[in-house]
Amino acid sequence: MALETRIYQKKRTIKFGALLKASLSDMYHSRFLARQLAERDIKAQYRQSYLGIVWAFIMPLATAIVWIVLNSSGTIALSDTGIPYPVYAFSGTLIWSIVVAAINSPLQSTNAARGILTKINFPKEALLVSGVYKLLFDSFIKIILLVLFVFIYGVGFHWSILLFPLAILGAVLFGTTLGLFVTPLGLLYKDIGKIITFGLQFLMYVTPVVYAIPKTGIMHTLMLYNPITPIVLTARDLVVGFSPEHINYFFGVILVCLPLLFLGLIIYRISIPIIVERLSA
Amino acid sequence: MSQNKPIKSDNEVLVKVEGLSKKFCKDLKTSLWYGIKDLISGVRGSNEVSELRSKEFWAVKDINFELRRGECLGLIGHNGAGKSTLLKILNGLINPDIGKVTIKGRVGALIELGAGFNPILSGRENIYNNGAILGFTRKEIDGKLDEIISFAELEEFIDMPVQHYSSGMKVRLGFAVAAQMEPDVLIIDEVLAVGDLGFILKCFKTIDTILPRTAVIFVSHNMPMISRICSTVILMESGKPVFIGENVSKGIDLYYNTFLTGEDSDVVFTDNSLNFINASVDGVISENNIYNVKWGESIELNLNLKNISLTKKPFISLVIYDKEQRAVAEIYPESQELIDIQKNTDINFSFNIKNIYLSKGVYNITLNASEKPSFNFYYKIHKAITLRVEHDKQMWTSFLLDSEAINS
């Protein structure tokens, strides 16, 4: 049997095709590692906690409650959303929290593995995949909760809800792609992670998370251009049984994300050795 | 590392390193900034020549070697000589700036044991975590689980959270998992230093069994270990290879010599009644304060001390330390006459030390002065004199006894 040969040297030319192939092949071959890492983190997280699963949705729930109270007490006046406001707010914050978690996931997963990145050679793509597994696990719980919520508020069952998980996959794809691009820089500079947390807080207000898109004005334009808008709206429309108005933009975003995801994977693969060199021994 | 693989006799080159260099940066902020630049040039695939930028230095410079199956390369040198950096390049964790590494076959690295352990989870669960990182499939781990647990001798505690393990237990578990690898190239950094003696012996037994069908690269500061398993050594000094060769003893000698410069005597105890002046070997001229002695030779050791407040000549005893700072022999010269002496005078001692069968190498001698043998110490000084024993054979033990065959 011929032995596998590896060559390490400074890369002079970049072959995108070969890199992508290697990246995807590593991803496939390390599926057990990815699952194992995700399982490890999930188990460890819940074993050392009494509230456990509650932490997955307490943040979006709290944000939703704040807005529900603000709205019902008349402190702020929001335009009509077409569905009971609590359903609107809670679905918004839940979907938003999934997008945010997806954006943070690649950087977080890679950062958590700093210790082994500098010592052991393993397929780094497994870290990304384990991040996606963890996202899907959390999202699954959130989805169940949201569906319960929708029924409690009497929105009723619509067949379109079966497509809702697909919209969530879209959200995960979008977030992971975006997160992948900031990961190399974020590993080098702590600022990047902080900027993302900071920036996302503001981004929420130009996304129809807790209020609908206004009819006119600068916010109208901003919110329509925001690529997260179609993700949040499409997902919510599918849950409550509206016909998804922004489905075209939604598909547009997904179509752009796919090649970008591959590009992100290639950049990630090239960057890791360069970054490991700059991390602690 | 299990024993069911046939030993391959063909001596193919498994590791080939050509003109390998790697630069590092001394300053964190600059280093991160260069990181950004390298990221950009890396993604663009630029053809930039690798020259030193400001605040950079060569951590590894111009390393060349080839390693075949069955050979073991020892990497030795001071801390910060670039050994670990070289290992990281060989392991594919970082890319070289100049040069090329070609590695054939599966690479196993014993650089960090127990990677991926989560302290909350049990030993059993962590075997899967660690195994997955080392590249095993679930099936492989299932099959090897019992062997791993028994090798680690952790049957009783395997379902306890790893955070309650002692550090030795963690290392044992980590090694037990790693020992299941069947690598063609094995990279070992100093991970085996932890753990109790029994376990270290077990580790080396395992390594011994895989040596014949593996190319091993071994980093250690433990020279006896190096001379025990290595067939070639590279001595590195500030990134550069100062010695490469199959003469392992010579490499080790050179390594020890790098520590010899500027060695001063250390007074470790004194009651201010005595002072050391000097020591010498009769008829030998010292080089850099080291006296050369031929193996098996008898020498006359002269010691001069200044007596400050004693009224009787003190009893002198000597301890010989080898280069690893292990005490290897004691000298209690017989028939010392502890006669009356004057205060504030010099006192001289001459001892005949017969047939020095110390093996080749450098030895430091510690001098003790006391009222009687092992009673009421006045003075103790390390490295009162340094001897270099000359012989053509390099030993990793401290003694080479005089012997010959009896032929009837």
Side-chain angles (χ1 to χ4, degrees), chain A residues 175-255:
Chain A
T176 308
T177 307
L178 193 63
L180 202 49
F181 276 91
V182 294
T183 302
L185 278 186
L187 286 169
L188 285 178
Y189 289 103
K190 301 262 182 213
D191 307 302
I192 304 293
K194 307 241 185 245
I195 290 172
I196 290 173
T197 319
F198 189 68
L200 283 176
Q201 281 186 345
F202 291 100
L203 199 56
M204 190 179 106
Y205 294 102
V206 288
T207 313
V209 174
V210 284
Y211 42 77
I213 306 176
K215 297 278 180 283
T216 50
I218 179 87
M219 280 297 265
H220 173 81
T221 326
L222 273 179
M223 283 169 88
L224 277 186
Y225 279 115
N226 179 358
I228 309 178
T229 300
I231 292 171
V232 172
L233 287 184
T234 306
R236 181 156 43 206
D237 287 347
L238 289 174
V239 173
V240 298
F242 287 1
S243 68
E245 268 176 70
H246 297 262
I247 192 85
N248 287 336
Y249 192 15
F250 177 81
F251 280 122
V253 169
I254 299 300
L255 277 181

Coordinates of all heavy atoms in Angstrom, one line a residue, chain A residues 175-255:
Chain A
G175 N -25.4 32.8 8.7 CA -24.6 33.2 9.9 C -23.2 32.6 9.9 O -22.2 33.2 10.1
T176 N -23.1 31.3 9.5 CA -21.8 30.6 9.5 C -20.9 31.2 8.5 O -19.7 31.4 8.7 CB -22.1 29.1 9.3 OG1 -23.0 28.6 10.2 CG2 -20.8 28.3 9.5
T177 N -21.5 31.5 7.3 CA -20.7 32.1 6.2 C -20.1 33.4 6.7 O -18.9 33.7 6.6 CB -21.5 32.3 5.0 OG1 -22.2 31.1 4.7 CG2 -20.7 32.8 3.8
L178 N -20.9 34.3 7.3 CA -20.5 35.5 7.7 C -19.4 35.4 8.8 O -18.4 36.0 8.8 CB -21.7 36.3 8.3 CG -21.4 37.8 8.5 CD1 -21.1 38.5 7.2 CD2 -22.7 38.4 9.2
G179 N -19.7 34.5 9.8 CA -18.8 34.2 10.9 C -17.5 33.7 10.4 O -16.4 34.0 10.9
L180 N -17.5 32.9 9.4 CA -16.3 32.2 8.8 C -15.3 33.3 8.3 O -14.1 33.2 8.5 CB -16.7 31.3 7.7 CG -15.7 30.2 7.3 CD1 -15.3 29.4 8.5 CD2 -16.4 29.3 6.3
F181 N -15.8 34.4 7.7 CA -15.0 35.4 7.2 C -14.3 36.2 8.3 O -13.2 36.7 8.1 CB -15.8 36.3 6.3 CG -15.9 35.8 4.9 CD1 -17.0 35.0 4.5 CD2 -14.9 36.0 3.9 CE1 -17.1 34.5 3.3 CE2 -15.0 35.5 2.7 CZ -16.1 34.7 2.3
V182 N -14.9 36.4 9.4 CA -14.3 37.2 10.5 C -13.4 36.3 11.4 O -12.6 36.8 12.1 CB -15.3 37.9 11.3 CG1 -16.0 39.0 10.5 CG2 -16.3 37.0 12.0
T183 N -13.5 35.0 11.2 CA -12.7 34.1 12.1 C -11.2 34.3 12.1 O -10.6 34.5 13.2 CB -13.1 32.6 11.9 OG1 -14.5 32.5 12.0 CG2 -12.4 31.7 12.8
P184 N -10.6 34.3 10.9 CA -9.1 34.5 11.0 C -8.7 35.8 11.7 O -7.8 35.7 12.6 CB -8.7 34.6 9.5 CG -9.8 33.8 8.8 CD -11.1 34.1 9.6
L185 N -9.3 36.9 11.4 CA -9.0 38.1 12.1 C -9.3 38.0 13.6 O -8.6 38.5 14.4 CB -9.7 39.3 11.5 CG -9.1 39.9 10.2 CD1 -9.9 41.1 9.8 CD2 -7.6 40.2 10.5
G186 N -10.5 37.4 13.9 CA -11.0 37.3 15.2 C -10.0 36.5 16.1 O -10.0 36.7 17.3
L187 N -9.3 35.5 15.5 CA -8.4 34.7 16.3 C -7.2 35.5 16.7 O -6.6 35.3 17.7 CB -8.0 33.5 15.5 CG -9.1 32.4 15.3 CD1 -8.6 31.4 14.3 CD2 -9.3 31.7 16.6
L188 N -6.8 36.4 15.8 CA -5.6 37.2 16.1 C -6.0 38.4 17.1 O -5.2 38.6 18.0 CB -5.1 37.8 14.8 CG -4.3 36.9 13.9 CD1 -3.9 37.6 12.6 CD2 -3.1 36.3 14.6
Y189 N -7.0 39.1 16.8 CA -7.4 40.3 17.6 C -8.7 40.0 18.4 O -9.7 39.7 17.8 CB -7.5 41.5 16.8 CG -6.2 42.0 16.2 CD1 -5.8 41.7 14.9 CD2 -5.3 42.6 17.0 CE1 -4.6 42.2 14.4 CE2 -4.0 43.1 16.5 CZ -3.7 42.8 15.2 OH -2.5 43.3 14.8
K190 N -8.7 40.2 19.7 CA -9.9 40.1 20.5 C -10.9 41.2 20.1 O -12.1 41.0 20.4 CB -9.5 40.3 22.0 CG -8.5 39.3 22.5 CD -9.2 38.1 23.2 CE -8.1 37.1 23.7 NZ -8.5 35.8 23.7
D191 N -10.4 42.2 19.5 CA -11.3 43.3 19.2 C -12.5 42.9 18.3 O -13.6 43.3 18.4 CB -10.6 44.4 18.4 CG -9.3 44.9 19.2 OD1 -9.5 45.3 20.3 OD2 -8.2 44.8 18.7
I192 N -12.1 42.0 17.4 CA -13.1 41.5 16.4 C -14.4 41.0 17.1 O -15.5 41.3 16.8 CB -12.5 40.5 15.4 CG1 -11.2 41.1 14.8 CG2 -13.5 40.1 14.4 CD1 -11.4 42.2 13.8
G193 N -14.1 40.1 18.0 CA -15.2 39.4 18.7 C -16.1 40.5 19.4 O -17.3 40.4 19.4
K194 N -15.4 41.5 20.0 CA -16.2 42.5 20.7 C -17.0 43.4 19.8 O -18.1 43.7 20.0 CB -15.2 43.4 21.5 CG -14.3 42.6 22.4 CD -14.4 43.0 23.9 CE -13.4 42.3 24.7 NZ -14.0 41.4 25.7
I195 N -16.3 43.7 18.6 CA -17.0 44.5 17.6 C -18.3 43.8 17.1 O -19.3 44.4 17.0 CB -16.1 44.9 16.4 CG1 -15.0 45.8 16.9 CG2 -16.8 45.5 15.3 CD1 -13.9 46.0 15.9
I196 N -18.2 42.5 17.0 CA -19.3 41.8 16.5 C -20.5 41.8 17.5 O -21.6 42.1 17.1 CB -18.9 40.3 16.1 CG1 -18.0 40.3 14.9 CG2 -20.1 39.5 15.9 CD1 -17.4 39.0 14.6
T197 N -20.1 41.5 18.7 CA -21.2 41.5 19.8 C -21.8 42.9 19.8 O -23.1 43.0 19.9 CB -20.6 41.3 21.1 OG1 -19.6 40.2 21.0 CG2 -21.6 40.8 22.2
F198 N -21.0 43.9 19.7 CA -21.4 45.3 19.8 C -22.3 45.7 18.6 O -23.4 46.2 18.8 CB -20.2 46.2 19.9 CG -20.4 47.6 20.2 CD1 -20.8 48.0 21.4 CD2 -20.1 48.6 19.2 CE1 -21.0 49.3 21.7 CE2 -20.3 49.9 19.5 CZ -20.8 50.3 20.7
G199 N -21.8 45.3 17.4 CA -22.4 45.7 16.2 C -23.8 45.0 16.0 O -24.8 45.6 15.6
L200 N -23.8 43.8 16.5 CA -25.1 43.0 16.3 C -26.2 43.6 17.1 O -27.4 43.5 16.7 CB -24.9 41.5 16.7 CG -24.1 40.7 15.6 CD1 -23.9 39.3 16.1 CD2 -24.9 40.7 14.3
Q201 N -25.9 44.2 18.2 CA -26.9 44.9 19.0 C -27.7 45.9 18.2 O -28.9 46.0 18.3 CB -26.3 45.5 20.3 CG -26.0 44.6 21.4 CD -25.5 45.2 22.6 OE1 -25.1 46.4 22.6 NE2 -25.5 44.5 23.7
F202 N -26.9 46.7 17.5 CA -27.5 47.7 16.7 C -28.2 47.2 15.4 O -29.2 47.7 15.0 CB -26.4 48.8 16.3 CG -25.9 49.5 17.4 CD1 -24.7 49.2 18.0 CD2 -26.7 50.6 17.9 CE1 -24.3 49.9 19.1 CE2 -26.3 51.3 19.1 CZ -25.1 51.0 19.7
L203 N -27.6 46.1 14.9 CA -28.1 45.5 13.7 C -29.5 45.0 14.0 O -30.4 45.1 13.1 CB -27.2 44.4 13.2 CG -27.4 43.9 11.8 CD1 -27.1 45.1 10.8 CD2 -26.4 42.8 11.5
M204 N -29.8 44.6 15.2 CA -31.1 44.1 15.5 C -32.2 45.1 15.3 O -33.3 44.8 14.9 CB -31.2 43.6 17.0 CG -32.4 42.9 17.3 SD -32.4 42.3 19.0 CE -33.6 43.4 19.7
Y205 N -31.8 46.4 15.5 CA -32.9 47.4 15.3 C -33.1 47.8 13.9 O -34.1 48.5 13.6 CB -32.5 48.7 16.2 CG -32.5 48.3 17.6 CD1 -31.4 48.1 18.3 CD2 -33.7 48.2 18.3 CE1 -31.4 47.7 19.7 CE2 -33.8 47.8 19.6 CZ -32.6 47.6 20.3 OH -32.7 47.2 21.6
V206 N -32.3 47.4 12.9 CA -32.6 47.6 11.5 C -33.0 46.3 10.9 O -32.9 46.1 9.7 CB -31.4 48.2 10.7 CG1 -31.2 49.7 11.1 CG2 -30.1 47.4 11.0
T207 N -33.5 45.4 11.7 CA -34.0 44.1 11.3 C -35.4 44.0 11.9 O -35.6 44.3 13.0 CB -33.1 42.9 11.8 OG1 -31.8 43.2 11.5 CG2 -33.5 41.6 11.1
P208 N -36.4 43.5 11.1 CA -37.7 43.4 11.7 C -37.8 42.3 12.8 O -38.5 41.3 12.5 CB -38.6 43.2 10.5 CG -37.7 42.7 9.4 CD -36.4 43.1 9.7
V209 N -37.2 42.5 13.9 CA -37.2 41.5 14.9 C -38.3 41.7 15.9 O -39.2 40.8 16.1 CB -35.8 41.5 15.7 CG1 -35.9 40.5 16.9 CG2 -34.7 41.1 14.8
V210 N -38.4 42.9 16.4 CA -39.5 43.2 17.4 C -40.5 44.2 16.9 O -41.5 44.5 17.5 CB -39.0 43.6 18.8 CG1 -38.4 42.5 19.5 CG2 -37.9 44.7 18.6
Y211 N -40.3 44.7 15.7 CA -41.3 45.6 15.1 C -41.2 45.4 13.6 O -40.2 45.0 13.0 CB -41.1 47.1 15.5 CG -39.7 47.6 15.5 CD1 -39.0 47.9 14.3 CD2 -39.0 47.8 16.7 CE1 -37.7 48.3 14.3 CE2 -37.7 48.3 16.7 CZ -37.1 48.5 15.5 OH -35.8 49.0 15.5
A212 N -42.3 45.8 12.9 CA -42.4 45.6 11.5 C -41.6 46.7 10.7 O -41.3 47.7 11.3 CB -43.8 45.6 11.0
I213 N -41.3 46.5 9.5 CA -40.7 47.5 8.7 C -41.6 48.7 8.5 O -42.7 48.5 8.1 CB -40.3 46.9 7.3 CG1 -39.5 45.6 7.4 CG2 -39.6 47.9 6.4 CD1 -39.2 44.9 6.1
P214 N -41.1 49.9 8.8 CA -42.0 51.0 8.6 C -42.3 51.2 7.1 O -41.6 50.8 6.3 CB -41.2 52.2 9.2 CG -39.8 51.7 9.3 CD -39.8 50.2 9.4
K215 N -43.4 52.0 6.9 CA -43.8 52.1 5.5 C -42.9 53.0 4.7 O -42.7 52.8 3.5 CB -45.2 52.8 5.5 CG -46.3 51.9 6.1 CD -46.8 50.8 5.2 CE -47.8 49.9 5.8 NZ -47.3 48.9 6.8
T216 N -42.3 54.0 5.3 CA -41.4 54.9 4.6 C -40.2 55.3 5.5 O -40.1 54.8 6.6 CB -42.1 56.3 4.3 OG1 -42.7 56.7 5.5 CG2 -43.2 56.1 3.2
G217 N -39.4 56.1 4.9 CA -38.3 56.7 5.7 C -37.0 55.9 5.5 O -36.9 54.9 4.8
I218 N -35.9 56.4 6.2 CA -34.6 55.8 6.1 C -34.6 54.4 6.6 O -33.9 53.5 6.1 CB -33.6 56.7 6.8 CG1 -32.1 56.1 6.8 CG2 -33.9 57.0 8.3 CD1 -31.4 56.5 5.5
M219 N -35.3 54.2 7.7 CA -35.4 52.9 8.3 C -36.0 51.9 7.3 O -35.6 50.7 7.3 CB -36.2 52.9 9.6 CG -35.4 53.4 10.8 SD -34.0 52.4 11.2 CE -34.8 51.4 12.5
H220 N -37.0 52.3 6.6 CA -37.6 51.5 5.6 C -36.6 50.9 4.6 O -36.4 49.7 4.4 CB -38.7 52.3 4.9 CG -39.3 51.6 3.7 ND1 -40.3 50.6 3.9 CD2 -39.1 51.6 2.4 CE1 -40.6 50.1 2.7 NE2 -39.9 50.7 1.8
T221 N -35.8 51.9 4.1 CA -34.7 51.5 3.1 C -33.7 50.6 3.7 O -33.4 49.5 3.2 CB -34.0 52.8 2.6 OG1 -35.0 53.9 2.6 CG2 -33.4 52.6 1.3
L222 N -33.2 51.0 4.9 CA -32.1 50.2 5.6 C -32.6 48.8 5.8 O -31.9 47.8 5.5 CB -31.8 50.8 6.9 CG -30.7 51.9 6.9 CD1 -30.5 52.5 8.3 CD2 -29.4 51.4 6.3
M223 N -33.8 48.7 6.3 CA -34.3 47.3 6.7 C -34.6 46.5 5.5 O -34.4 45.3 5.5 CB -35.6 47.5 7.6 CG -35.2 47.9 9.0 SD -36.6 48.4 10.0 CE -37.2 46.8 10.7
L224 N -35.0 47.1 4.4 CA -35.2 46.3 3.2 C -33.9 45.8 2.6 O -33.8 44.7 2.1 CB -35.9 47.1 2.1 CG -37.4 47.2 2.3 CD1 -38.1 47.9 1.1 CD2 -38.0 45.8 2.4
Y225 N -32.8 46.6 2.8 CA -31.5 46.2 2.2 C -30.8 45.1 3.1 O -30.1 44.3 2.6 CB -30.6 47.4 2.0 CG -30.9 48.1 0.7 CD1 -31.4 49.4 0.7 CD2 -30.7 47.4 -0.5 CE1 -31.7 50.0 -0.5 CE2 -31.0 48.1 -1.7 CZ -31.5 49.4 -1.7 OH -31.8 50.0 -2.9
N226 N -31.1 45.2 4.4 CA -30.4 44.3 5.3 C -30.7 42.9 5.0 O -31.8 42.4 4.9 CB -31.0 44.6 6.7 CG -30.4 43.7 7.8 OD1 -29.6 42.9 7.5 ND2 -30.9 44.0 9.0
P227 N -29.6 42.1 4.7 CA -29.8 40.7 4.2 C -30.3 39.8 5.3 O -30.8 38.7 5.0 CB -28.3 40.3 3.9 CG -27.4 41.2 4.6 CD -28.2 42.5 4.8
I228 N -30.4 40.2 6.6 CA -30.9 39.4 7.6 C -32.5 39.5 7.6 O -33.2 38.6 8.0 CB -30.4 39.7 9.0 CG1 -28.8 39.7 8.9 CG2 -30.8 38.7 10.0 CD1 -28.2 40.1 10.2
T229 N -33.0 40.6 7.1 CA -34.4 40.9 7.0 C -35.2 39.7 6.3 O -36.1 39.2 6.9 CB -34.7 42.2 6.3 OG1 -34.1 43.3 7.0 CG2 -36.2 42.5 6.2
P230 N -34.8 39.3 5.1 CA -35.5 38.3 4.4 C -35.5 36.9 5.2 O -36.4 36.2 5.2 CB -34.9 38.1 3.1 CG -33.5 38.7 3.3 CD -33.7 39.8 4.2
I231 N -34.4 36.7 5.9 CA -34.3 35.5 6.7 C -35.3 35.5 7.9 O -36.0 34.5 8.0 CB -32.8 35.3 7.2 CG1 -31.9 35.1 6.0 CG2 -32.7 34.2 8.2 CD1 -30.4 35.1 6.4
V232 N -35.3 36.6 8.6 CA -36.2 36.7 9.8 C -37.6 36.6 9.3 O -38.5 35.9 9.8 CB -35.9 37.9 10.6 CG1 -36.9 38.1 11.7 CG2 -34.5 37.9 11.2
L233 N -37.9 37.4 8.2 CA -39.3 37.5 7.8 C -39.8 36.2 7.2 O -40.9 35.8 7.5 CB -39.4 38.7 6.8 CG -39.4 40.1 7.4 CD1 -39.6 41.1 6.3 CD2 -40.4 40.2 8.5
T234 N -39.0 35.6 6.3 CA -39.4 34.4 5.7 C -39.7 33.3 6.8 O -40.7 32.6 6.7 CB -38.3 33.9 4.7 OG1 -38.1 35.0 3.8 CG2 -38.8 32.7 3.9
A235 N -38.7 33.2 7.7 CA -38.9 32.2 8.7 C -40.2 32.4 9.5 O -41.0 31.5 9.8 CB -37.7 32.2 9.7
R236 N -40.5 33.7 9.9 CA -41.7 34.0 10.6 C -42.9 33.8 9.8 O -43.9 33.2 10.3 CB -41.6 35.4 11.1 CG -42.8 35.8 12.0 CD -42.6 36.9 12.9 NE -41.9 38.0 12.3 CZ -41.1 38.9 12.9 NH1 -41.0 38.8 14.2 NH2 -40.5 39.8 12.3
D237 N -42.9 34.2 8.6 CA -44.1 34.0 7.7 C -44.4 32.5 7.6 O -45.6 32.1 7.6 CB -43.8 34.5 6.3 CG -43.8 36.1 6.3 OD1 -44.3 36.6 7.3 OD2 -43.4 36.7 5.3
L238 N -43.4 31.7 7.5 CA -43.6 30.2 7.4 C -44.3 29.7 8.7 O -45.2 28.8 8.6 CB -42.3 29.5 7.1 CG -41.7 29.7 5.7 CD1 -40.4 29.0 5.6 CD2 -42.7 29.1 4.7
V239 N -43.9 30.2 9.8 CA -44.4 29.7 11.1 C -45.9 30.1 11.2 O -46.7 29.3 11.6 CB -43.6 30.2 12.3 CG1 -44.3 29.9 13.6 CG2 -42.2 29.7 12.3
V240 N -46.2 31.3 10.9 CA -47.6 31.8 11.2 C -48.5 31.6 10.0 O -49.7 31.9 10.1 CB -47.6 33.3 11.6 CG1 -46.8 33.4 12.9 CG2 -47.0 34.2 10.5
G241 N -47.9 31.1 8.9 CA -48.8 30.7 7.8 C -49.1 31.9 6.8 O -50.0 31.8 6.0
F242 N -48.3 32.9 6.8 CA -48.4 34.0 5.8 C -47.6 33.5 4.6 O -46.7 32.7 4.7 CB -47.8 35.3 6.3 CG -48.6 36.0 7.4 CD1 -49.8 35.4 7.8 CD2 -48.2 37.2 7.9 CE1 -50.5 36.0 8.8 CE2 -48.9 37.8 8.9 CZ -50.1 37.2 9.3
S243 N -48.0 34.1 3.5 CA -47.2 33.8 2.3 C -45.9 34.7 2.4 O -46.0 35.9 2.6 CB -47.9 34.1 1.0 OG -48.1 35.5 0.9
P244 N -44.7 34.0 2.3 CA -43.5 34.7 2.5 C -43.2 35.8 1.4 O -43.0 35.4 0.2 CB -42.4 33.6 2.5 CG -43.1 32.4 1.9 CD -44.5 32.6 2.0
E245 N -43.3 37.0 1.8 CA -43.2 38.1 0.8 C -41.8 38.3 0.3 O -41.6 38.7 -0.9 CB -43.6 39.4 1.5 CG -45.0 39.8 1.3 CD -45.3 41.1 2.1 OE1 -44.8 42.1 1.7 OE2 -45.9 41.0 3.2
H246 N -40.8 38.0 1.1 CA -39.4 38.3 0.8 C -38.7 37.1 0.3 O -37.4 37.0 0.4 CB -38.7 38.9 2.0 CG -39.3 40.2 2.4 ND1 -38.8 41.5 2.0 CD2 -40.4 40.5 3.1 CE1 -39.6 42.4 2.5 NE2 -40.5 41.9 3.2
I247 N -39.4 36.1 -0.2 CA -38.8 34.8 -0.5 C -37.7 35.0 -1.6 O -36.7 34.3 -1.6 CB -39.9 33.8 -0.9 CG1 -39.3 32.4 -1.0 CG2 -40.5 34.2 -2.3 CD1 -39.3 31.7 0.3
N248 N -37.9 35.9 -2.5 CA -36.9 36.1 -3.6 C -35.6 36.5 -3.0 O -34.5 36.0 -3.4 CB -37.4 37.0 -4.6 CG -38.5 36.4 -5.5 OD1 -38.6 35.2 -5.5 ND2 -39.4 37.2 -6.0
Y249 N -35.7 37.6 -2.2 CA -34.5 38.1 -1.6 C -33.9 37.0 -0.7 O -32.6 36.8 -0.7 CB -34.8 39.3 -0.7 CG -33.6 40.1 -0.3 CD1 -32.3 39.9 -0.9 CD2 -33.7 41.1 0.7 CE1 -31.2 40.6 -0.4 CE2 -32.6 41.8 1.2 CZ -31.3 41.5 0.6 OH -30.3 42.2 1.0
F250 N -34.7 36.2 0.0 CA -34.2 35.1 0.8 C -33.4 34.1 0.0 O -32.2 33.8 0.3 CB -35.4 34.4 1.4 CG -35.0 33.2 2.2 CD1 -34.6 33.3 3.5 CD2 -35.1 31.9 1.7 CE1 -34.2 32.2 4.3 CE2 -34.8 30.8 2.5 CZ -34.3 30.9 3.8
F251 N -33.9 33.7 -1.2 CA -33.2 32.8 -2.0 C -31.9 33.5 -2.6 O -30.9 32.8 -2.7 CB -34.1 32.3 -3.2 CG -35.0 31.1 -2.7 CD1 -36.3 31.2 -2.8 CD2 -34.4 30.0 -2.1 CE1 -37.1 30.2 -2.4 CE2 -35.2 29.0 -1.7 CZ -36.6 29.1 -1.8
G252 N -32.0 34.7 -2.9 CA -30.9 35.5 -3.4 C -29.7 35.4 -2.3 O -28.6 35.1 -2.7
V253 N -30.1 35.7 -1.1 CA -29.1 35.6 0.0 C -28.4 34.2 0.1 O -27.2 34.1 0.2 CB -29.7 36.1 1.3 CG1 -28.7 35.8 2.5 CG2 -30.1 37.5 1.3
I254 N -29.3 33.2 0.1 CA -28.8 31.9 0.2 C -27.8 31.5 -1.0 O -26.8 31.0 -0.8 CB -30.0 30.8 0.2 CG1 -30.9 31.1 1.4 CG2 -29.4 29.4 0.2 CD1 -30.2 31.0 2.7
L255 N -28.3 32.0 -2.2 CA -27.4 31.7 -3.4 C -26.1 32.3 -3.3 O -25.1 31.8 -3.8 CB -28.2 32.1 -4.7 CG -29.2 31.1 -5.2 CD1 -29.9 31.5 -6.4 CD2 -28.5 29.7 -5.4

